[in-house]
Amino acid sequence: GINAEYGSSGINAEYGDLLVNAAAVKGVEVLCSTNKELAYSLENANIPGDPFFNILLRIVSTRCMMQAVYFCSGLYPEEEYFHYGLAVPLYTHFTSPIRRYPDLLVHRLLAASVGSDKTYTELLDRNIVNEWCENMNYRHHQAQLVQRSSIALHTQLYFKDKCLDEDAYILFVRRNAIVVLVRRYGLESTIFLKAIESDVEFNYEEEKCKLTVGKVTMQMFDRVVVQISVEDCNIQHKKLRMKLVNPIIPGVSVEPIYITMGNNDEPHVPRPASIKP
């Protein structure tokens, strides 16, 4: 039959290895050969004393999945109908309480298929349905871009004239950078680690999800401290900037922010930003 389904082609092979390796570093086994294996692994991936680890692992697993898209079921083999993220073999919009456009399309398809409504008989043409699905995918992507831009704008407004040190977690490790998530604000940013002195060595171990800078080693899911501010050197392209504070890497990390405690006669003391166990 003709329908508007929602499918996902699953874990990207390259990122699947990354997910498995990153979990293994923390002593956790993750299986992702099938969606059910992954769902079971995530359900049981816990580290005593670190309740946020499971959330981080789920975030990373979502990033490893390929984007789900709308499609016309009459144009694809049935084995491609599954939704990997939801671990279900068939999935379509129908009863969403917010009545999104895909829900309405499915309602019209059903009505046209059983002959109860002749208003949208053109939907019996799978090529037309496919065009509509492609348009929904395009509009969905555009909505995501607008959402990200809106979040970026309001984040910049919030942090305007502020400079804060906050705890963060490493989501990904790159050859010369770390991608961090600031839990308190839900902010994500890439911190490029640039050494002031040329003799600082960088050693990137992809399989171990580890980056060693000088004598300091950082791995995925490690807790760090970052400094958040708004870079406004270009008035038309302001952006949030994060810098590494802790772990301390000579020539790479920055000094923590100092604040005034009590009245103006009292000395400045460092803001508590140490990494908690």
Side-chain angles (χ1 to χ4, degrees):
I2 302 176
N3 208 334
E5 303 275 354
Y6 196 64
S8 170
S9 52
I11 292 283
N12 182 297
E14 177 184 354
Y15 289 105
D17 292 339
L18 171 66
L19 178 63
V20 172
N21 293 338
V25 167
K26 296 297 183 180
V28 175
E29 182 182 28
V30 170
L31 303 176
C32 55
S33 298
T34 67
N35 50 4
K36 290 185 178 180
E37 277 189 351
L38 178 60
Y40 180 80
S41 296
L42 293 177
E43 186 68 25
N44 295 277
N46 296 292
I47 295 179
D50 189 1
F52 196 56
F53 171 75
N54 186 268
I55 297 176
L56 289 171
L57 193 62
R58 290 179 182 274
I59 292 174
V60 173
S61 67
T62 302
R63 303 293 174 82
C64 294
M65 294 181 190
M66 299 178 70
Q67 179 68 49
V69 295
Y70 295 103
F71 66 94
C72 174
S73 59
L75 295 177
Y76 295 89
E78 190 170 339
E79 56 267 22
E80 294 187 18
Y81 290 3
F82 66 89
H83 194 296
Y84 194 94
L86 297 179
V88 292
L90 291 170
Y91 177 78
T92 185
H93 286 279
F94 190 75
T95 58
S96 171
I98 60 176
R99 287 294 180 269
R100 291 170 291 190
Y101 186 70
D103 298 275
L104 299 179
L105 177 59
V106 173
H107 296 172
R108 294 170 183 173
L109 276 167
L110 179 61
S113 298
V114 301
S116 64
D117 189 346
K118 299 186 181 300
T119 307
Y120 301 99
T121 54
E122 68 271 18
L123 289 178
L124 295 177
D125 186 333
R126 66 183 65 183
N127 292 317
I128 291 180
V129 174
N130 188 57
E131 290 180 4
W132 287 26
C133 288
E134 290 181 353
N135 184 58
M136 287 188 294
N137 291 328
Y138 171 76
R139 294 298 179 185
H140 176 67
H141 180 62
Q142 294 300 305
Q144 288 180 318
L145 295 179
V146 171
Q147 181 184 35
R148 293 169 189 170
S149 297
S150 176
I151 292 174
L153 172 62
H154 287 84
T155 299
Q156 291 176 18
L157 292 175
Y158 177 81
F159 284 99
K160 181 181 180 182
D161 300 324
K162 292 185 177 74
C163 190
L164 305 174
D165 292 346
E166 293 292 345
D167 287 335
Y169 291 86
I170 299 178
L171 283 180
F172 298 98
V173 175
R174 307 300 188 209
R175 293 187 180 278
N176 64 335
I178 55 175
V179 181
V180 300
L181 172 68
V182 180
R183 180 181 180 183
R184 181 176 181 181
Y185 300 107
L187 296 175
E188 184 179 325
S189 180
T190 299
I191 300 179
F192 291 96
L193 305 174
K194 298 180 180 179
I196 298 177
E197 300 178 2
S198 58
D199 59 346
V200 178
E201 295 185 0
F202 285 71
N203 183 22
Y204 174 60
E205 298 178 68
E206 185 175 4
E207 291 187 359
K208 296 182 180 180
C209 306
K210 181 167 62 176
L211 174 64
T212 301
V213 183
K215 297 181 180 180
V216 178
T217 298
M218 294 172 285
Q219 292 180 311
M220 286 179 62
F221 308 126
D222 281 355
R223 184 180 292 188
V224 297
V225 177
V226 300
Q227 192 171 102
I228 309 173
S229 62
V230 175
E231 187 177 85
D232 56 1
C233 57
N234 187 330
I235 193 64
Q236 293 184 332
H237 299 283
K238 293 184 179 181
K239 57 184 178 181
L240 202 67
R241 175 70 69 186
M242 292 191 193
K243 299 177 182 179
L244 183 67
V245 175
N246 201 336
I248 299 173
I249 306 176
V252 176
S253 59
V254 298
E255 294 291 329
I257 296 298
Y258 284 77
I259 60 174
T260 301
M261 303 294 291
N263 56 52
N264 294 332
D265 296 328
E266 294 183 357
H268 288 73
V269 298
R271 182 183 188 278
S274 59
I275 301 177
K276 302 176 182 178

